[in-house]
Amino acid sequence: MPTGSYVVETTRTAEVEVREQTDLWSERVGAYQTRLDYRYARAEVFRGEMIRQRSDSYQVVTWHSDQIEYVRTPGLIRQMPDPDYRLLFPLAGELLLRQDDQEVRLTPGTGSLLTLGAPFELLHGASLRGVIMSIPAQEIDGPLNRKASLATGLDLSKGLGRVVHSMVRGLNAERGHLTTSQFDAVCDRVVELLCMLACGDDRPDVPGHLTAVEAVVRRHVRDHAADPDLSGASMARALGWSLRQIQLALQHVGTTPRDLIREERLRLVRERLLRADCEHMTITDLAYASGFSSASAMSTAFRRRFGVSPREMRSKAR
């Protein structure tokens, strides 16, 4: 298994006594997701398997099981608040999701982005094979400039949705060959594309050309994040657009050129902190190599973004 904080775990109810199967499933789902109520169709025997991939930032669980209903009630939310999001989609079978007076029936090729901060019911039959990806709240609330429950039907069968679907499935397929930084890097891109997809569904009035501008700007920032002179103005000159056009395109998804540049530089620092081939670099070296003007400015922004200092993250990864 790859070293670092990236971990792959498998749970099979067939490996325990029949009378312990539902207890095992409830315990693992609660540990991997959040506090839920469980309604088993056949409590006397329950067949299920889940494969969990996780890092300190993200988690992807692929599972199949007998018929079951998961319920998150207002009481459970009060007991254990959890503002994070889940990307949910079936690979086979059907999922029925109810949240915020909406009912979404998910079949292969469709998915939903839901929040754990609002009550929901999730039901599926024995033919279900599904994927659920855990996404920190700030990764969705910031880019979408919103704080609201979502139970959005997403088309994952074509275009950008199909790219998201393929990337998440690829994470599972290559689970035994990934490092922490690779797993996080792919998850970062999935979330970025997911926000674009959700924004397009949620804001149909956004002109198509602004969406295209945003995509190109994001790619430019990713490719040039380490350049200390990168700015909104330098992007405008390099891409041949006006600064106002770039600002407007990013404004539609709740960010600015400065915030986007800082976010990409912080992701670059995090990736390098987790890489064995960058262990020789000091924190100051990393700051300058990632486009920051000083180590203190980078450390302050890093702690605000990830909740730990760069040194703490490197130490934990080791």
Side-chain angles (χ1 to χ4, degrees):
M1 183 182 298
T3 59
S5 60
Y6 172 68
V7 175
V8 179
E9 302 167 310
T10 301
T11 298
R12 299 183 182 91
T13 61
E15 295 177 351
V16 301
E17 297 291 333
V18 171
R19 64 178 181 276
E20 299 174 350
Q21 290 176 344
T22 56
D23 289 340
L24 173 64
W25 195 259
S26 298
E27 184 271 325
R28 291 298 166 84
V29 172
Y32 294 172
Q33 305 298 337
T34 189
R35 285 283 303 277
L36 298 166
D37 284 339
Y38 307 90
R39 299 170 185 172
Y40 293 92
R42 298 174 60 212
E44 68 277 8
V45 59
F46 184 79
R47 295 167 300 178
E49 177 179 310
M50 66 178 84
I51 300 173
R52 180 199 196 194
Q53 301 166 253
R54 68 168 178 85
S55 68
D56 291 339
S57 303
Y58 296 103
Q59 173 182 273
V60 175
V61 175
T62 304
W63 90 100
H64 62 85
S65 77
D66 287 340
Q67 181 174 329
I68 187 172
E69 183 174 5
Y70 303 96
V71 181
R72 183 142 165 90
T73 64
L76 290 177
I77 292 173
R78 287 192 296 270
Q79 292 174 25
M80 185 174 285
D82 190 333
D84 290 344
Y85 291 87
R86 298 293 187 271
L87 169 63
L88 176 70
F89 60 85
L91 300 173
E94 184 176 277
L95 282 162
L96 181 64
L97 171 65
R98 300 187 185 99
Q99 187 173 59
D100 288 343
D101 298 322
Q102 299 182 59
E103 181 173 291
V104 181
R105 194 172 296 274
L106 302 176
T107 55
T110 63
S112 272
L113 184 64
L114 68 145
T115 176
L116 300 184
F120 66 82
E121 299 174 14
L122 180 64
L123 171 67
H124 69 75
S127 62
L128 187 282
R129 289 179 57 242
V131 178
I132 183 165
M133 177 179 178
S134 303
I135 305 171
Q138 67 268 20
E139 301 287 352
I140 298 294
D141 294 335
L144 292 187
N145 194 27
R146 65 184 298 162
K147 184 62 183 177
S149 301
L150 296 173
T152 308
L154 301 173
D155 184 355
L156 305 180
S157 66
K158 62 180 183 296
L160 189 58
R162 186 172 181 178
V163 173
V164 170
H165 185 275
S166 297
M167 291 177 71
V168 178
R169 291 202 64 182
L171 282 171
N172 174 257
E174 298 300 320
R175 59 186 179 274
H177 307 285
L178 298 173
T179 65
T180 303
S181 59
Q182 291 168 349
F183 178 75
D184 282 341
V186 175
C187 289
D188 284 342
R189 302 305 171 236
V190 168
V191 174
E192 179 182 315
L193 297 176
L194 180 62
C195 287
M196 293 173 62
L197 184 63
C199 180
D201 288 345
D202 189 57
R203 302 182 186 188
D205 57 322
V206 176
H209 76 278
L210 289 182
T211 301
V213 170
E214 179 214 344
V216 174
V217 168
R218 286 184 181 277
R219 172 60 61 184
H220 183 83
V221 171
R222 185 176 308 129
D223 291 343
H224 299 85
D227 181 356
D229 295 324
L230 182 64
S231 65
S234 71
M235 281 192 286
R237 290 193 298 270
L239 297 173
W241 289 315
S242 69
L243 176 57
R244 176 58 183 160
Q245 193 173 16
I246 291 175
Q247 291 171 331
L248 189 60
L250 295 180
Q251 179 183 330
H252 275 293
V253 292
T255 190
T256 65
R258 177 178 294 182
D259 289 344
L260 182 61
I261 292 168
R262 181 178 63 247
E263 178 72 11
E264 197 59 41
R265 285 173 175 168
L266 289 172
R267 292 186 191 279
L268 184 58
V269 171
R270 183 179 69 177
E271 180 181 337
R272 288 172 169 172
L273 285 169
L274 299 175
R275 282 168 46 184
D277 60 346
C278 292
E279 285 192 345
H280 67 283
M281 299 178 70
T282 67
I283 300 301
T284 300
D285 290 339
L286 282 173
Y288 289 126
S290 303
F292 285 94
S293 59
S294 69
S296 60
M298 183 270 283
S299 296
T300 299
F302 193 92
R303 180 180 287 277
R304 186 180 299 118
R305 175 65 176 80
F306 297 114
V308 295
S309 71
R311 293 184 191 282
E312 290 169 339
M313 179 166 284
R314 171 175 273 176
S315 176
K316 190 173 183 179
R318 286 173 176 167

